[in-house]
Amino acid sequence: MSITKHIPNFLTSLNVLCGTLATFFALNGQIEIAIWLIFVGALFDFGDGFAARALKAYSDMGKELDSLADLISFGMAPAAIWSTIIKIKLLGDVSISFIGLELSQQIWILSPFILVAFAALRLAKFNVDTRQSENFLGLTTTATGIFTASFAYLFLKNPDWFNWLSPAIILIILIFFSILLISEVPMFSLKFKNLKWSENKERFVLLVLAIAFIAVLGVGGIAAIILYYILISVGKWMFGLK
């Protein structure tokens, strides 16, 4: 096999590394580093698929490796970020030892890791579901991870905006995303097959909004775009719209 055939798996492995390091930094209170590592991991996640198509280097190993990478970068790392945010909200200091905390505080800090279990279920389901070749059923782990990174960026840069954010609200957010991960809600594909307005209205609107939100909020605007994407998809599903 040509060495170029290994390029997609190499890029996927870099995604694994990004997710692992993001988890490490998040649990050590360095959330901003974890945020950027998740974004870089997302670039590798896009790059491995692009490389596989360009080089026609598809493989069963690559498919499984991609799922493992997504579980770490967009399941475990985001859970670690949420866990640290809860610790900040509860204690105001990320350096306090977990062992010395009250049981209730320990449970709150560990609660975000339910996201990892649902991300694993989502990825396993996707690997055996033949219905998701064009569009997705349920929210992707990548979107979940990017939302977390973007939201955490806003939290760090504008803490006064998030005085309302409590551990209980964070848990509700995580339950919402966990349900979406394994749901049957159709999520329209973001890929443009052509530039016709009639076939891409939702994508064009999303693109314009993305530019506007990012211009105002920086990478924090991505969270708003993903939330809009979720609301549109769920709304269409609830009201039976095509």
Side-chain angles (χ1 to χ4, degrees):
M1 178 182 289
S2 169
I3 192 171
T4 58
K5 298 294 184 181
H6 296 288
I7 291 176
N9 288 348
F10 174 71
L11 294 175
T12 307
S13 298
L14 291 177
N15 184 12
V16 173
L17 182 60
C18 286
T20 304
L21 292 174
T23 302
F24 171 82
F25 283 111
L27 292 177
N28 281 278
Q30 296 173 290
I31 296 178
E32 187 162 3
I33 297 175
I35 289 169
W36 290 110
L37 283 167
I38 288 178
F39 283 132
V40 173
L43 291 177
F44 285 130
D45 185 48
F46 170 80
D48 64 11
F50 180 82
R53 289 188 294 271
L55 300 172
K56 297 182 179 178
Y58 300 104
S59 69
D60 290 336
M61 176 182 171
K63 180 180 179 182
E64 298 303 325
L65 182 61
D66 188 66
S67 291
L68 292 171
D70 288 353
L71 179 60
I72 296 171
S73 293
F74 311 124
M76 179 65 77
I81 287 176
W82 285 115
S83 178
T84 300
I85 290 175
I86 286 180
K87 194 173 185 181
I88 292 171
K89 283 293 183 177
L90 282 176
L91 309 172
D93 186 354
V94 296
S95 65
I96 297 175
S97 172
F98 176 83
I99 301 300
L101 300 178
E102 297 176 3
L103 178 60
S104 61
Q105 293 173 325
Q106 291 177 334
I107 291 173
W108 278 117
I109 291 170
L110 291 175
S111 63
F113 290 95
I114 63 169
L115 186 67
V116 183
F118 282 90
L121 288 170
R122 157 73 196 180
L123 291 163
K125 177 184 176 183
F126 178 80
N127 282 351
V128 299
D129 194 340
T130 58
R131 299 172 297 166
Q132 301 190 54
S133 57
E134 290 285 334
N135 296 310
F136 299 112
L137 293 176
L139 190 66
T140 65
T141 52
T142 305
T144 303
I146 292 175
F147 173 86
T148 298
S150 177
F151 185 93
Y153 178 88
L154 285 176
F155 174 80
L156 289 181
K157 299 301 181 183
N158 307 279
D160 293 340
W161 293 2
F162 297 94
N163 293 328
W164 53 270
L165 190 65
S166 66
I169 292 175
I170 290 174
L171 185 57
I172 291 171
I173 292 172
L174 290 171
I175 291 172
F176 173 70
F177 273 85
S178 295
I179 292 172
L180 279 178
L181 282 169
I182 61 170
S183 73
E184 293 286 305
V185 177
M187 299 280 180
F188 64 89
S189 172
L190 301 180
K191 295 178 181 178
F192 286 84
K193 291 187 175 181
N194 56 59
L195 297 178
K196 293 181 180 178
W197 168 259
S198 60
E199 298 180 19
N200 295 286
K201 285 185 288 187
E202 293 166 323
R203 298 176 184 87
F204 279 121
V205 170
L206 201 65
L207 180 61
V208 171
L209 288 175
I211 294 170
F213 277 117
I214 292 173
V216 175
L217 299 173
V219 295
I222 298 173
I225 294 303
I226 292 176
L227 189 58
Y228 170 82
Y229 170 66
I230 291 171
L231 293 176
I232 289 295
S233 298
V234 171
K236 289 173 63 177
W237 172 69
M238 289 180 64
F239 294 102
L241 301 175
K242 293 184 178 180

